[in-house]
């Protein structure tokens, strides 16, 4: 036997055993299993430390739940479509499928090496036709339900990726709008695109955030801000001279704006519409200047447009004053925000103010702060234009009959009084653009027919599989003529396949449902199982997916419920956003050259370190010294088990200190269990270290009691196993635990552990007091230490103080009515006033009895003897004992000689 733990030597064996016994497989007859899921990885080719941390969290928790007796669903799959794989394949002169499959083989091998316990029989790969067939099938069901639109739109365009991007895939970099993947500056194009109408669910998605109590507040707030609920009013403006002379008088529809500040309406000095607004298109048909501006602006990034704009020949009628207002086409007004039109109120809106300055427009100020009404000119057109707009609440002026009203009151009155204003709610959320002009994604199952228009591919012809990859510029599918040319399913005439592929976030918006029944051939998932097993109990991933993935997932779940495929409308009960692994203060990244490979320190050490370094949601720094601590803990536990097995000859009779250790095993078990329940693996690791330290000290103090010590070692093997499964299995095996630790029952305290924290505080405080006395009195070698427990009446006083909220007179009367109190009123009164007044001990209500304190201290005297080498005596105080006045409940008097 060797006392050195060699992880590499044992991991292959235990992985073989786990696979042989199929310990992670879940029977489909399981009754509502605990569903633990980590966000499945993109097939980049290698695991990074972020993967390891994510999957170490889910693996530790799923192993813990399994040992608690739960059926556990813990699957793994591959987010295998996407532009990076296509680009990587082009760079390596291969095809995306071959490259992706090679990445999957490598990453799966790494996951297995790390010892993660997945039910591999449920593995899914999103680039396989067996999976993306159901993307297409679901697309068609959403299309039939009116949740898919095909329309021309000005979209974000990445010139490097040569594809459009959804708004959520445009990142900020030093003020520039860049592609979230390649960081190339993003431009604008007008294209015919496919959208999922997620906006139909904006209100429900926003309201549902209140019920997600198991989600981090930060993630919920990010989603709430992205959905962007705004309450206000729609305001109708009649427009004249539109499209060559038509106006409201000839039946033209008024232009509606949305405003969260309808009380500023008297400050409106112009109307502006976006370049994509219907009015802009009408005016461009007869006005060359407008047409030229629209053509230029629609290809530009909104940030590049600034506050340029073009005045049109149209005029708008102010709905309350009847004044004629100029109408502009302005790039700062966005087509898909609000109504695509704004009433310009430059006195009270910063963007409107900038536009008004740029175009020398009138600036009226019709609201002033409540505590500073100003003079009669302040707030009207006589105020200097460069004065910053006032955007706060206040008092109306220059607003006719509403002058003097507070903003809030005026809002309600205006909507009530005028038909042109209607109370409304809008959302910042825009429809989900799913079209991608790339090859490596799910083909959109639509053909374009000149006679029939857009026609869905029949279900029996799904999946529409990707053709062979041919490297070319632009979208390879456009060049695949034999594939694109087809016949119309409706009229059998010539037609062309849609060459856009789906955004890969479609793949991940429902993949968790496919894990429930991955081999089902006639439906995307088993509805009955989904209704029984959903929602996901614990979902772990990075908070960078707060919008891109999680919002789309919530939308998809609701849409599936409305299609009758699900009963649940929220997919995730508890969400955990894992923190970042840092190196020298920066996120580990291959681009920064600061990556530590998962296998550099060994699988077990890496897993144990990433779990013990910090709470899963916190960032932490990767340091070699701290990694060494995880390695040393493994070696310590292995050596303890090995030495116990090799030495044998344990003691059979139980003594007081054996009882202490037995109770500490119970206390540690209860504490570790609580930490696992709360995902505080770092604290569980600390408790494991403390228990190991105590057992080592116990063994060195005296020949240990065999049953107590072995139970302690088996407990360590069991509670370390979720974090370090190979080590736990090896320890369990050496100690002759029953079966496999992965299938063992989670250890439980043999006695009630509710008072253990009080016991621990008493012992720790007493040891600290002894150390202080030894140090202050400079006692080099104490020979005898007396621990004197307070008289019984003092415990009675403590009990009464808790009941009476520290009322001194009530406590005093209650103590002295007892016949057994051997103390006068003055002595009792002084003690009660000192210790149980309004500033009484914070541990009130959680006190031990005098007998209990004596028993605890007697069991722990070996700790004092072991540390100081002195004889230790525990006794009760008596009335004539000079130490009696110093002893009180929870704090024995101490005498050292």
């Amino acid at each position: 036997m060797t006392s050195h733990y060699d992880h590499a030597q044992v991991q292959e064996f235990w992985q073989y055993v786990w696979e042989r016994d199929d310990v992670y497989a879940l029977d489909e007859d399981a009754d509502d299993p605990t569903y633990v899921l980590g966000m499945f990885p993109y097939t980049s080719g290698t695991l990074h430390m972020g993967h390891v941390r994510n999957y170490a969290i889910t693996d530790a928790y799923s192993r813990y739940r399994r040992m608690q007796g739960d059926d556990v669903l813990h699957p793994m799959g591959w987010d295998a479509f996407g532009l990076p794989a296509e680009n990587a394949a082009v760079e390596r002169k291969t095809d995306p499928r071959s490259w992706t499959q090679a990445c999957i083989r490598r990453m799966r091998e790494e996951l297995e090496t790390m010892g993660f316990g997945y039910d591999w029989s449920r593995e899914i790969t999103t680039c396989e036709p067996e999976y993306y067939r159901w993307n297409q099938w679901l697309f068609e069901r959403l299309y039939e339900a009116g949740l898919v639109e095909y329309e021309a739109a000005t979209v974000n365009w990445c010139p490097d990726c040569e594809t459009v991007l959804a708004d959520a895939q445009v990142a900020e970099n030093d003020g520039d709008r860049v592609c979230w993947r390649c960081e190339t500056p993003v431009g604008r194009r007008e294209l015919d695109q496919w959208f999922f109408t997620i906006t139909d669910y904006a209100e429900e998605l926003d309201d549902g955030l209140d019920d997600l109590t198991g989600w981090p507040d930060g993630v919920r707030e990010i989603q709430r801000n992205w959905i962007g609920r705004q309450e206000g009013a729609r305001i109708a403006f009649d427009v004249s001279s539109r499209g060559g002379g038509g106006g409201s008088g000839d039946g033209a529809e008024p232009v509606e704006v949305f405003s969260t500040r309808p009380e500023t309406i008297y400050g409106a000095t112009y109307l502006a519409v976006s370049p994509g607004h219907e009015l802009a298109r009408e005016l461009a048909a007869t006005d060359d200047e407008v047409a030229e501006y629209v053509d230029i602006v629609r290809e530009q990034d909104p940030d590049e447009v600034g506050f340029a704009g073009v005045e049109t020949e149209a005029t708008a009628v102010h709905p309350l004053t009847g004044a004629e207002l100029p109408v502009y086409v302005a790039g700062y007004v966005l087509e898909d925000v609000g109504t695509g039109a704004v009433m310009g109120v430059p006195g009270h809106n910063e963007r409107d103010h900038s536009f008004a300055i740029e175009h020398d427009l009138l600036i009226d100020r019709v609201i002033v702060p409540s505590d500073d009404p100003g003079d009669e000119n302040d707030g009207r057109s006589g105020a200097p234009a460069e004065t910053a707009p006032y955007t706060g609440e206040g008092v109306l002026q220059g607003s006719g009959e509403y002058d003097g009203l507070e903003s809030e009151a005026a809002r309600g009155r205006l909507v009530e009084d005028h038909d042109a204003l209607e109370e409304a709610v809008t959302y910042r959320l825009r429809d989900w653009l799913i079209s991608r002009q790339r090859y490596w994604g799910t083909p959109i199952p639509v053909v374009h027919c000149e006679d029939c228009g857009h026609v869905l591919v029949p279900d029996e012809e799904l999946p529409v599989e990707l053709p062979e990859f041919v490297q070319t510029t632009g979208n390879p599918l456009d060049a695949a003529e034999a594939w694109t040319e087809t016949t119309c399913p409706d009229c059998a005439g010539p037609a062309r396949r849609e060459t856009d592929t789906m955004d890969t976030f479609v793949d991940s918006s429902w993949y968790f449902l496919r894990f429930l029944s991955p081999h089902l051939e006639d439906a995307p998932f088993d509805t009955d199982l989904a209704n029984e097993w959903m929602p996901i109990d614990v979902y772990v991933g990075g908070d960078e997916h707060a919008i891109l993935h999680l919002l789309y997932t919530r939308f998809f779940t609701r849409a599936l419920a409305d299609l009758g495929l699900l009963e649940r409308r929220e997919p995730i009960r508890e969400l955990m956003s894992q923190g970042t692994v840092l190196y020298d203060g920066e996120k580990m990244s291959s681009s920064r050259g600061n990556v530590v490979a998962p296998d550099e320190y060994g699988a077990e050490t890496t897993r144990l370190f990433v779990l013990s370094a910090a709470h899963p949601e916190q960032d932490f720094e990767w340091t070699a010294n701290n990694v060494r601590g995880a390695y040393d803990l493994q070696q310590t536990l292995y050596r303890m088990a090995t030495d116990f097995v090799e030495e044998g000859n344990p003691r059979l009779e139980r003594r007081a200190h054996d009882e202490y250790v037995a109770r500490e095993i119970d206390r540690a078990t209860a504490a570790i269990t609580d930490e696992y329940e709360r995902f505080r693996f770092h604290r569980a690791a600390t408790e494991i270290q403390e228990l190991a330290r105590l057992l080592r000290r116990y063994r060195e103090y005296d020949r240990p009691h065999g049953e107590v010590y072995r139970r302690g070692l088996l407990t360590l093997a069991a509670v370390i196993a979720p974090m370090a499964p190979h080590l736990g299995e090896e320890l369990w095996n050496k100690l002759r635990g029953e079966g496999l630790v992965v299938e063992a029952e989670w250890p439980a305290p043999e006695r009630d552990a509710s008072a253990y924290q009080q016991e621990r505080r008493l012992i720790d405080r007493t040891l600290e007091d002894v150390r202080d006395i030894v140090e202050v009195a400079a006692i080099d070698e104490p020979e005898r230490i007396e621990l004197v427990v307070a008289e019984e009446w003092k415990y009675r006083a403590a009990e009464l103080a808790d009941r009476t909220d520290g009322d001194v007179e009530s406590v005093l009367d209650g103590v002295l009515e007892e016949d057994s109190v051997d103390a006068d009123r003055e002595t009792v009164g002084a003690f009660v006033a000192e210790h149980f007044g309004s500033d009484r001990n914070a541990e009130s209500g959680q006190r031990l009895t005098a007998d209990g304190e004596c028993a605890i201290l007697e069991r722990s005297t070996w700790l004092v003897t072991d540390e100081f080498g002195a004889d230790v005596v525990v006794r009760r105080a008596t009335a004539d004992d000079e130490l009696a006045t110093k002893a009180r409940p929870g704090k024995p008097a101490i005498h050292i000689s």
Side-chain angles (χ1 to χ4, degrees):
M1 277 186 158
T2 174
S3 60
H4 176 78
Y5 176 60
D6 185 348
H7 172 267
Q9 190 176 51
V10 302
Q11 72 177 31
E12 184 176 353
F13 173 74
W14 288 118
Q15 287 172 14
Y16 159 75
V17 172
W18 295 332
E19 184 177 358
R20 178 198 67 193
D21 292 357
D22 208 11
V23 297
Y24 306 119
L26 176 68
D27 194 316
E28 288 196 2
D29 293 333
D31 181 22
D32 190 16
T34 300
Y35 192 174
V36 183
L37 186 63
M39 294 181 185
F40 66 170
Y42 182 73
T43 51
S44 57
T46 57
L47 292 184
H48 55 68
M49 205 54 68
H51 287 133
V52 173
R53 192 180 191 194
N54 187 339
Y55 303 138
I57 293 166
T58 63
D59 194 55
Y61 188 71
S62 62
R63 288 175 180 274
Y64 164 71
R65 295 307 324 169
R66 192 176 287 108
M67 294 175 73
Q68 284 282 8
D70 291 6
D71 290 321
V72 175
L73 174 59
H74 187 220
M76 176 51 67
W78 310 102
D79 192 8
F81 268 142
L83 186 58
E86 187 171 338
N87 289 344
V90 170
E91 291 172 8
R92 292 161 177 78
K93 294 181 171 53
T94 184
D95 65 276
R97 176 174 293 279
S98 298
W99 165 253
T100 299
Q101 290 172 339
C103 290
I104 290 173
R105 287 193 296 271
R106 185 159 54 247
M107 294 177 73
R108 176 168 175 168
E109 182 179 341
E110 289 176 319
L111 289 173
E112 290 174 336
T113 299
M114 295 299 296
F116 294 131
Y118 297 117
D119 182 353
W120 285 109
S121 69
R122 296 175 181 272
E123 181 181 15
I124 59 175
T125 304
T126 61
C127 68
E128 296 297 334
E130 294 79 11
Y131 183 86
Y132 70 72
R133 165 194 180 187
W134 298 111
N135 279 350
Q136 296 169 345
W137 187 88
L138 290 169
F139 173 95
E140 297 191 351
R141 302 294 83 76
L142 294 175
Y143 183 97
E144 292 164 353
L147 294 173
V148 179
E149 290 186 356
Y150 184 72
E151 59 186 15
T154 303
V155 295
N156 305 303
W157 177 264
C158 175
D160 187 63
C161 297
E162 296 185 277
T163 189
V164 300
L165 303 173
D167 289 315
Q169 293 167 322
V170 178
E172 290 284 339
N173 186 357
D174 294 331
D176 295 328
R177 300 171 75 249
V178 299
C179 174
W180 73 299
R181 287 200 182 276
C182 67
E183 298 189 348
T184 300
V186 170
R188 302 284 282 177
R189 282 195 179 182
E190 183 163 344
L191 297 170
D192 292 333
Q193 301 286 281
W194 292 98
F195 294 84
F196 284 154
T197 56
I198 188 174
T199 52
D200 290 0
Y201 290 86
E203 181 177 5
E204 187 182 349
L205 289 168
D206 185 67
D207 291 344
L209 292 170
D210 294 334
D211 299 325
L212 297 180
T213 56
W215 286 40
D217 290 340
V219 172
R220 290 196 291 172
E221 190 61 23
I222 289 171
Q223 287 208 6
R224 200 180 299 280
N225 291 338
W226 188 261
I227 295 168
R229 176 186 170 91
Q230 293 183 311
E231 296 182 357
R234 285 182 178 266
I235 305 172
F237 285 78
D238 288 334
V239 177
S240 63
S241 303
R242 54 196 293 174
S248 58
D250 61 6
E253 290 292 329
V255 173
E256 286 193 338
V257 304
F258 173 82
S259 175
T260 60
R261 302 288 305 277
E263 73 274 20
T264 66
I265 189 170
Y266 283 93
T269 60
Y270 67 92
L271 183 73
V273 297
S274 71
H277 193 278
E278 179 184 358
L279 177 59
R281 291 196 294 269
E282 289 180 14
L283 295 170
T286 58
D287 188 325
D288 292 342
E289 189 178 358
V290 173
E292 181 181 2
Y293 178 76
V294 167
D295 288 342
I296 293 172
V297 171
R298 296 188 78 177
E299 295 290 326
Q300 289 182 311
D301 186 292
D303 293 337
E304 296 175 0
V305 174
F307 294 97
V310 60
E311 185 175 3
T312 73
E313 295 180 356
T315 57
V317 179
H318 193 293
L320 304 191
T321 68
E324 287 194 349
L325 307 180
V327 175
Y328 283 79
V329 178
Y332 85 97
V333 182
L334 302 180
E335 179 181 354
D336 50 0
V337 175
T339 65
V342 301
M343 65 174 187
V345 186
H348 303 288
N349 180 281
E350 292 179 356
R351 291 168 65 80
D352 295 349
H353 184 269
S354 297
F355 187 82
I357 295 293
E358 181 81 14
H359 297 274
D360 196 25
L361 292 166
L362 183 66
I363 299 175
D364 281 352
R365 296 182 175 85
V366 295
I367 295 179
V368 293
S370 301
D371 57 354
D372 183 21
D375 59 41
E376 61 184 31
N377 283 331
D378 200 15
R380 296 304 298 161
S381 58
E386 60 270 16
T387 302
Y390 177 62
T391 59
E393 299 284 302
V395 175
L396 270 65
Q397 64 174 16
S399 300
E401 63 183 287
Y402 303 98
D403 282 358
L405 287 178
E406 295 284 344
S407 300
E408 185 175 354
R411 277 197 287 271
R413 281 274 305 275
L414 284 161
V415 172
E416 289 176 5
D417 294 349
H418 300 281
D419 292 339
L421 283 73
E422 181 182 358
E423 194 172 52
V425 174
T426 66
Y427 296 87
R428 177 178 178 268
L429 181 68
R430 305 175 196 181
D431 283 333
W432 175 9
L433 170 60
I434 68 163
S435 290
R436 297 295 179 270
Q437 291 70 42
R438 300 303 302 175
Y439 168 84
W440 196 231
T442 299
I444 293 175
V446 170
V447 300
H448 299 280
C449 174
E450 288 189 7
D451 294 328
C452 304
H454 317 312
V455 181
L456 297 178
V457 174
D459 288 357
E460 60 270 18
E461 295 181 18
L462 300 180
V464 177
E465 296 193 34
L466 289 166
E468 183 178 348
F469 179 71
V470 177
Q471 186 170 330
T472 182
T473 58
N475 184 355
L477 291 180
D478 285 330
E481 290 294 332
W483 181 81
T484 58
E485 293 180 359
T486 185
T487 57
C488 174
D490 284 354
C491 71
R496 289 184 62 84
R497 293 192 187 279
E498 172 62 66
T499 57
D500 285 354
T501 53
M502 294 186 199
D503 180 7
T504 55
F505 283 100
V506 176
D507 307 342
S508 58
S509 291
W510 68 279
Y511 79 108
F512 49 88
L513 293 166
R514 187 65 179 172
F515 277 135
L516 308 183
S517 43
H519 309 297
L520 193 63
E521 296 183 354
D522 56 1
F525 54 88
D526 186 310
T527 296
D528 291 336
L529 278 182
N531 291 335
E532 182 182 353
W533 291 7
M534 288 293 292
I536 301 167
D537 291 283
V538 178
Y539 197 37
V540 181
D543 61 7
E544 69 271 17
H545 293 295
I547 299 170
L548 290 172
H549 168 53
L550 293 171
L551 186 62
Y552 295 156
T553 295
R554 297 181 61 224
F555 156 68
F556 234 84
T557 305
R558 284 168 166 76
L560 293 175
D562 288 340
L563 292 173
L565 297 174
L566 272 180
E567 293 177 357
R568 305 283 183 180
R569 299 189 74 82
E570 285 289 356
I572 302 157
R573 181 179 61 82
E574 184 166 0
L575 174 71
M576 180 174 295
S577 298
Q578 102 255 7
T580 302
V581 183
L582 307 173
Y583 194 92
D584 289 337
E586 293 188 328
K587 180 179 179 179
M588 278 194 186
S589 167
S590 56
S591 63
R592 295 186 175 95
N594 63 353
V595 171
V596 175
D599 60 355
E600 187 169 330
Y601 289 90
E604 206 85 303
T605 299
T606 300
R607 286 179 56 137
L608 190 55
F609 173 60
V610 299
L611 289 171
S612 61
H615 188 282
E617 293 182 339
Q618 295 176 335
D619 298 346
F620 75 88
E621 184 79 19
W622 182 280
T623 64
N625 285 340
N626 290 339
V627 177
R628 178 75 192 190
Y631 173 83
D632 288 345
L633 176 59
Q634 296 171 77
Q635 298 300 329
T636 295
L637 298 181
Y638 186 78
R639 190 159 44 248
M640 289 170 66
T642 301
D643 290 348
F644 174 72
V645 172
E646 287 182 345
E647 292 174 3
N649 193 31
R651 182 164 44 81
L652 300 179
E653 72 282 3
R654 289 179 79 137
R655 302 171 184 169
H657 64 286
D658 300 321
E659 293 302 323
Y660 172 83
V661 173
R663 291 180 69 80
E664 279 297 295
I665 293 170
D666 284 344
R667 187 208 63 79
T669 299
I672 293 167
T673 302
D674 185 56
E675 304 301 358
Y676 269 102
E677 288 286 343
R678 301 186 186 190
F679 296 91
R680 299 193 301 204
F681 305 113
H682 59 305
R683 293 193 180 182
T686 299
E687 291 286 353
I688 290 169
Q689 290 172 324
E690 290 184 1
L691 179 58
R693 192 177 299 118
L694 174 69
L695 290 176
R696 289 203 313 276
R697 188 174 177 184
Y698 170 57
R699 179 174 171 273
E700 292 166 359
Y701 175 76
D702 188 12
R703 183 158 56 98
H705 184 271
E707 181 183 339
V708 172
Y709 192 62
R710 180 173 179 271
R711 175 175 170 245
L713 294 177
L714 282 171
T715 297
L716 286 172
V719 297
I720 197 73
M723 291 189 279
H726 304 101
L727 173 65
E729 208 68 78
E730 189 73 3
L731 297 176
W732 191 261
N733 183 61
K734 282 185 176 298
L735 295 165
R736 300 295 185 266
E738 184 178 349
L740 297 172
V741 73
V742 71
E743 297 177 318
E745 290 186 7
W746 186 256
E750 292 183 344
R751 288 147 291 195
D752 179 19
S754 60
Y756 286 176
Q757 292 300 334
Q758 297 166 257
E759 296 183 16
R760 170 59 70 88
R761 282 195 295 270
L762 172 65
I763 295 165
D764 288 347
R765 185 188 296 125
T766 302
L767 283 169
E768 190 61 36
D769 288 345
V770 172
R771 294 185 191 109
D772 288 346
I773 294 170
V774 168
E775 181 178 350
V776 171
I779 303 173
D780 292 333
E781 296 182 3
E783 295 181 0
R784 177 182 171 86
I785 299 175
E786 286 185 86
L787 305 178
V788 182
V789 177
E791 297 167 88
E792 186 69 45
W793 65 264
K794 292 184 178 180
Y795 292 86
R796 172 63 174 163
E799 178 188 355
L800 290 170
D802 295 339
R803 289 186 193 173
T804 62
D805 200 28
D807 181 75
V808 174
E809 288 300 319
S810 297
V811 174
L812 184 59
D813 293 341
V815 170
L816 290 174
E817 73 180 14
E818 300 284 341
D819 295 336
S820 59
V821 176
D822 189 12
D824 57 33
R825 187 177 187 85
E826 182 179 356
T827 300
V828 176
F831 174 79
V832 171
E834 179 181 0
H835 297 293
F836 302 110
S838 60
D839 191 28
R840 67 191 190 281
N841 193 305
E843 295 176 17
S844 61
Q846 300 180 13
R847 304 181 191 279
L848 298 164
T849 65
D851 289 340
E853 283 195 19
C854 276
I856 293 164
L857 292 172
E858 285 170 355
R859 288 196 297 267
S860 60
T861 55
W862 72 278
L863 294 172
V864 184
T865 300
D866 183 52
E867 184 171 347
F868 299 101
D871 293 332
V872 181
V873 174
V874 178
R875 63 180 178 82
R876 297 282 290 275
T878 58
D880 58 353
D881 192 333
E882 70 176 74
L883 290 177
T885 57
K886 299 179 180 180
R888 67 174 190 265
K891 193 172 179 63
I894 300 171
H895 179 257
I896 302 177
S897 58

